[in-house]
Amino acid sequence: MVPAGETSRKQHWDGVYREKPLETVGWYQPVPAISLELISQLGLSQSAPLIDVGGGDSYLADHLLRKGFTDITVLDISGTSLKRAQARLGSQAERIHWVASDILDFEPQRPYALWHDRAAFHFLTDPAQARAYLDRARRGIRPGGYFIVGTFSENGPSTCSGLPVQRYSISALQDTASPGFELLRGFNTVHKTPSGGVQEYTFGVFVHRG
Ligand SMILES: C[S@@+](CC[C@H](N)C(=O)[O-])C[C@H]1O[C@@H](n2cnc3c(N)ncnc32)[C@H](O)[C@@H]1O
């Protein structure tokens, strides 16, 4: 049986993706410049397995394909978001592994070299769920692999898409991710939304110490 929380989370996000064009959502970015820069700094091989958790129909996968990465997985609780991304990508979509799942139900079948999450982890406001997510990330990232996570900062909004979020300072993110993840880089950055607002994010780049 599907727990009620999961059903409503999925319904919420499917509804968002049915109703709002990509260019109008607060998290929209035609070029996910920060994520791309952080990923390029890791010096991963083009065949390295990468997963974008809560990727929705963001353009990150499109850019990673263009950069020559050949083993890209996009996971999202909303199958509707993934269908939108697939429609946009056309035949290129076949080059990506798509997983429609709540991250808390996802059992990684193989270790990833990179686990990327921009603005999905922060919806897990229940500490037990945040811990469950990080347990999955520990199982899903190979030792020496990387975890890039972007959340709203302590100065960021307290909600996103009508849902409460857990805001993190760099040190709170570091504390939450330990043990197992060592912070390589943490910083704050401002995202400009399509409606002209600004949102402060905290980004952390971690290495999985196993
Ligand atoms: C604010 S959007 C960010 C989308 C994308 N990462 C980006 O940066 O453009 C949050 C995304 O996380 C997904 N999401 C929220 N909770 C999730 C969960 N428990 N498991 C998997 N995906 C989830 C939503 O469907 C949505 O696509």
Side-chain angles (χ1 to χ4, degrees):
M1 203 175 112
V2 180
E6 187 191 319
T7 309
S8 55
R9 260 205 297 260
K10 178 177 160 33
Q11 283 170 350
H12 171 85
W13 287 107
D14 277 339
V16 168
Y17 284 106
R18 264 196 311 274
E19 285 158 27
K20 294 197 171 179
L22 174 60
E23 301 74 23
T24 67
V25 296
W27 54 92
Y28 172 64
Q29 39 178 15
V31 181
I34 290 174
S35 298
L36 289 168
E37 176 60 22
L38 293 175
I39 292 168
S40 87
Q41 286 170 3
L42 299 177
L44 298 167
S45 78
Q46 290 188 324
S47 60
L50 321 179
I51 183 165
D52 188 20
V53 171
D57 65 348
S58 104
Y59 279 103
L60 182 64
D62 310 40
H63 285 274
L64 293 174
L65 275 181
R66 246 174 260 144
K67 286 184 178 296
F69 287 102
T70 57
D71 191 347
I72 303 165
T73 299
V74 179
L75 176 147
D76 204 280
I77 195 169
S78 165
T80 308
S81 73
L82 301 182
K83 284 190 191 120
R84 276 186 11 178
Q86 288 159 3
R88 180 182 72 227
L89 280 157
S91 60
Q92 296 289 307
E94 290 163 22
R95 297 169 56 198
I96 294 178
H97 309 286
W98 303 96
V99 181
S101 170
D102 188 320
I103 187 59
L104 297 180
D105 294 328
F106 177 60
E107 288 301 337
Q109 298 300 308
R110 62 203 176 109
Y112 293 94
L114 170 69
W115 179 298
H116 173 273
D117 179 324
R118 173 177 180 267
F121 174 64
H122 67 187
F123 290 106
L124 301 174
T125 53
D126 173 352
Q129 293 196 340
R131 278 196 301 275
Y133 175 109
L134 290 164
D135 283 345
R136 280 183 160 68
R138 283 184 200 96
R139 289 202 298 277
I141 303 172
R142 71 183 187 206
Y146 300 98
F147 175 38
I148 295 178
V149 58
T151 68
F152 283 168
S153 81
E154 70 272 39
N155 303 314
S158 55
T159 61
C160 175
S161 184
L163 297 177
V165 301
Q166 180 65 49
R167 296 178 289 181
Y168 290 90
S169 62
I170 298 165
S171 61
L173 200 53
Q174 185 173 19
D175 289 348
T176 304
S178 67
F181 290 116
E182 179 188 326
L183 186 68
L184 298 178
R185 241 193 108 181
F187 60 95
N188 295 121
T189 182
V190 168
H191 167 68
K192 293 201 175 110
T193 68
S195 60
V198 290
Q199 298 173 332
E200 193 178 273
Y201 275 72
T202 295
F203 269 83
V205 180
F206 296 87
V207 62
H208 184 210
R209 286 301 179 205

